[in-house]
Amino acid sequence: MTIRTRFAPSPTGFLHIGGARTALFSWAYARHNNGKFVLRVEDTDVERSTQESVDSIIHAMEWLGLGYDEGPFFQMQRMERYKQVIQQMLDAGTAYYCYCSKEELDIMREEQKARGDKPRYDRRCLHNSQPREGVKPVVRFKNPTDGSVVWDDLVKGRIEIANSELDDLIIARSDGTPTYNFCVVVDDWDMGITHVTRGDDHVNNTPRQINILKALGAPVPLYAHLPMILRDDGQKMSKRRDPVSVMQYKDMGILPEALLNYLSRLCWGHGDDEVFTIEQFVEWFKLNNISPSPARFDMKKLFWVNAQHIKALANDKLLALIAPELARRGINVAQLDINAILDLVKTRGDNLNTITNEVAYFYQPQVVSDEDATKHLTADALGVLGKFATALDALSEWSLDNIKALIKEFCATEGIKMPQLGMPLRLKLCGTTQTPSFDAVLNILGKDNVLSRLQ
């Protein structure tokens, strides 16, 4: 059997971080088993679905590197197929027309509540489905009334739900458009999906979908329902207070491989491994290794993982990522030894934005804040810098070893400690007190640059 998985987002907004994890797990399982990964766009919510959302979801998946083997398929382009299957079910007696009005259904539910019964459709149209003038009927699925729906969830274990708990759900609205649960069933059937990985908010849909699949004589896929991703305080993530869009993390300077690495650790693990490549994840990944407990999103841990991936990047790849922003600032990296700069700063930041700023002050010193100037650029400090500039000017050979020796000798002669020279020197050279070792900064900047900035 060829493993076939799918990711089926609704194009009503951006790619949510939870959706990205679902896509990652579905993709990885297909890759691990040399299977196929299908992208299906569930766009039947016409009022809320937009092409902009479709584009943003696909763009986010491309940024993450989650390539799909088939698709994207769009449910709105499959309407004729859904209607064909609905007619087959009507002909087979596994579905029926319902002409009940909203008012009738409301009265029925109120009466059931008054009796203490669970509100459900009472099947009054099953054997007495008489057309009514001016009323367009819905189509209901004839759900089994006895027995149970049982499946061995690959994450949650064995789940059993009595059919008596289920309703005869509507599979086609009065305007003829099919409903979500029905479209999903036909799509999974037609696309040969063998494994459905999705959020556990879909658990209640699963027994209904299984029953429809059985009514159609279609194979039932295996299901893996992923637990929720919560905030680190245990609350639900919210777009009002949390970065929940995948592309927000790109803007925050997170590498796609770092985000995937971190997402993979939310409810899944491989021993004590924290930092690994996507290739390693695919090699190790199994659906039954997923924990059913909710995961907590720790932003600090994500940035720590990101820092490890930045450190591991080759300089040419790191430069390619930050080059557009450096160019936007008018920086020509060829003016200095960019490899030496990257070697110095790539361990000093946990995101690409910080790394970009660390590189930038070598080329364009920051504006010194009034607070730093008052604290560090005193008359005495400027006097020390003047003497130091004279000593640097006299240095015959500009090298890291010579600079180190000069700094040590200068501080001893002047009777000052290293920070008394380093803090004002960093400010004058780079506009910030936070730089790598200032002897290394001097060496990279070069004699002419250093003396010019000190003047």
Side-chain angles (χ1 to χ4, degrees):
M1 178 182 68
T2 299
I3 299 296
R4 292 177 62 83
T5 67
R6 47 82 158 175
F7 177 52
S10 296
T12 56
F14 47 74
L15 179 58
H16 190 281
I17 200 71
R21 184 191 59 169
T22 298
L24 169 63
F25 284 11
S26 296
W27 174 88
Y29 192 71
R31 292 290 176 267
H32 177 85
N33 292 283
N34 296 314
K36 299 294 183 182
F37 176 58
V38 178
L39 176 61
R40 185 171 77 219
V41 179
E42 298 184 340
D43 57 347
T44 54
D45 187 346
V46 179
E47 291 184 1
R48 298 174 60 219
S49 296
T50 66
Q51 185 60 45
E52 181 182 7
S53 294
V54 173
D55 295 340
S56 69
I57 290 170
I58 292 176
H59 176 60
M61 290 187 66
E62 289 175 347
W63 178 71
L64 289 170
L66 300 179
Y68 42 90
D69 302 300
E70 297 176 17
F73 299 106
F74 296 87
Q75 288 185 330
M76 288 302 294
Q77 297 175 5
R78 290 173 45 79
M79 285 295 129
E80 288 306 314
R81 170 59 176 160
Y82 302 140
K83 292 176 181 178
Q84 178 189 48
V85 176
I86 287 172
Q87 187 58 53
Q88 291 174 0
M89 295 180 72
L90 287 167
D91 294 341
T94 54
Y96 60 94
Y97 287 115
C98 173
Y99 289 88
C100 294
S101 66
K102 181 181 181 302
E103 291 73 22
E104 286 178 290
L105 295 175
D106 288 341
I107 293 172
M108 178 192 72
R109 292 190 186 98
E110 289 303 319
E111 291 175 346
Q112 290 171 335
K113 288 180 181 179
R115 295 194 303 266
D117 297 336
K118 181 178 179 179
R120 65 177 64 250
Y121 184 64
D122 63 6
R123 290 188 155 184
R124 62 183 61 182
C125 284
L126 175 58
H127 302 296
N128 187 26
S129 183
Q130 297 299 323
R132 300 182 187 179
E133 187 176 349
V135 176
K136 293 183 178 179
V138 300
V139 178
R140 290 185 181 272
F141 169 60
K142 183 183 176 184
N143 195 78
T145 55
D146 55 359
S148 300
V149 185
V150 182
W151 77 95
D152 292 313
D153 197 280
L154 296 175
V155 174
K156 293 183 170 296
R158 191 172 185 83
I159 298 177
E160 181 172 350
I161 297 177
N163 278 316
S164 59
E165 293 294 312
L166 304 176
D167 206 352
D168 283 5
L169 77 158
I170 295 172
I171 59 175
R173 302 177 185 89
S174 58
D175 62 0
T177 59
T179 57
Y180 166 79
N181 275 301
F182 180 77
C183 294
V184 168
V185 164
V186 177
D187 290 343
D188 287 342
W189 180 26
D190 286 354
M191 297 173 189
I193 302 303
T194 61
H195 293 72
V196 173
T197 302
R198 58 190 180 190
D200 60 8
D201 53 324
H202 286 283
V203 167
N204 289 336
N205 291 326
T206 303
R208 296 172 170 84
Q209 293 173 10
I210 289 176
N211 278 342
I212 297 174
L213 284 164
K214 288 181 176 179
L216 290 169
V220 177
L222 297 176
Y223 293 91
H225 289 95
L226 307 179
M228 290 184 65
I229 299 176
L230 304 175
R231 287 163 48 96
D232 57 1
D233 61 4
Q235 301 297 311
K236 287 185 178 181
M237 296 185 76
S238 166
K239 64 182 180 181
R240 288 193 299 261
R241 60 185 179 183
D242 306 302
V244 294
S245 165
V246 165
M247 299 314 288
Q248 283 179 279
Y249 289 89
K250 178 179 185 294
D251 295 340
M252 291 158 60
I254 301 294
L255 296 172
E257 54 266 39
L259 184 57
L260 291 177
N261 184 168
Y262 182 70
L263 287 177
S264 70
R265 295 285 288 118
L266 298 180
C267 301
W268 175 90
H270 184 265
D272 295 327
D273 293 296
E274 294 282 357
V275 179
F276 41 81
T277 65
I278 191 64
E279 291 78 16
Q280 288 173 309
F281 174 59
V282 168
E283 179 184 349
W284 298 334
F285 184 68
K286 294 180 180 178
L287 288 172
N288 55 11
N289 286 346
I290 299 171
S291 167
S293 301
R296 296 203 178 193
F297 198 100
D298 185 338
M299 195 67 71
K300 290 182 180 178
K301 187 64 174 289
L302 168 61
F303 276 97
W304 178 84
V305 170
N306 196 52
Q308 310 315 307
H309 280 272
I310 289 175
K311 291 176 189 176
L313 272 181
N315 284 349
D316 58 338
K317 293 183 179 179
L318 179 55
L319 177 59
L321 292 171
I322 64 175
E325 175 58 21
L326 293 174
R328 190 191 68 78
R329 300 186 193 186
I331 293 173
N332 178 8
V333 296
Q335 293 174 347
L336 296 173
D337 186 347
I338 186 61
N339 275 312
I341 294 173
L342 291 174
D343 285 338
L344 270 185
V345 306
K346 68 194 299 185
T347 61
R348 292 176 52 81
D350 59 11
N351 66 86
L352 292 179
N353 299 331
T354 298
I355 298 299
T356 303
N357 292 333
E358 290 276 336
V359 170
Y361 61 61
F362 280 87
Y363 297 89
Q364 295 175 347
Q366 300 177 22
V367 176
V368 178
S369 70
D370 292 340
E371 181 182 355
D372 281 339
T374 301
K375 185 176 181 180
H376 298 293
L377 298 181
T378 62
D380 288 344
L382 292 175
V384 169
L385 287 182
K387 292 179 182 180
F388 186 62
T390 300
L392 287 173
D393 194 20
L395 197 62
S396 58
E397 182 181 347
W398 195 265
S399 69
L400 183 59
D401 288 341
N402 286 347
I403 293 170
K404 284 183 177 180
L406 175 61
I407 291 172
K408 185 176 181 180
E409 179 184 346
F410 180 83
C411 289
T413 301
E414 294 296 318
I416 60 174
K417 295 181 179 180
M418 201 74 75
Q420 290 175 272
L421 172 63
M423 297 301 270
L425 184 60
R426 286 184 169 98
L427 276 178
K428 289 296 289 183
L429 295 179
C430 301
T432 176
T433 59
Q434 302 295 319
T435 74
S437 176
F438 65 90
D439 52 2
V441 173
L442 289 167
N443 185 48
I444 289 175
L445 286 175
K447 188 173 185 177
D448 291 341
N449 253 336
V450 169
L451 293 178
S452 173
R453 294 185 188 188
L454 287 178
Q455 288 172 1

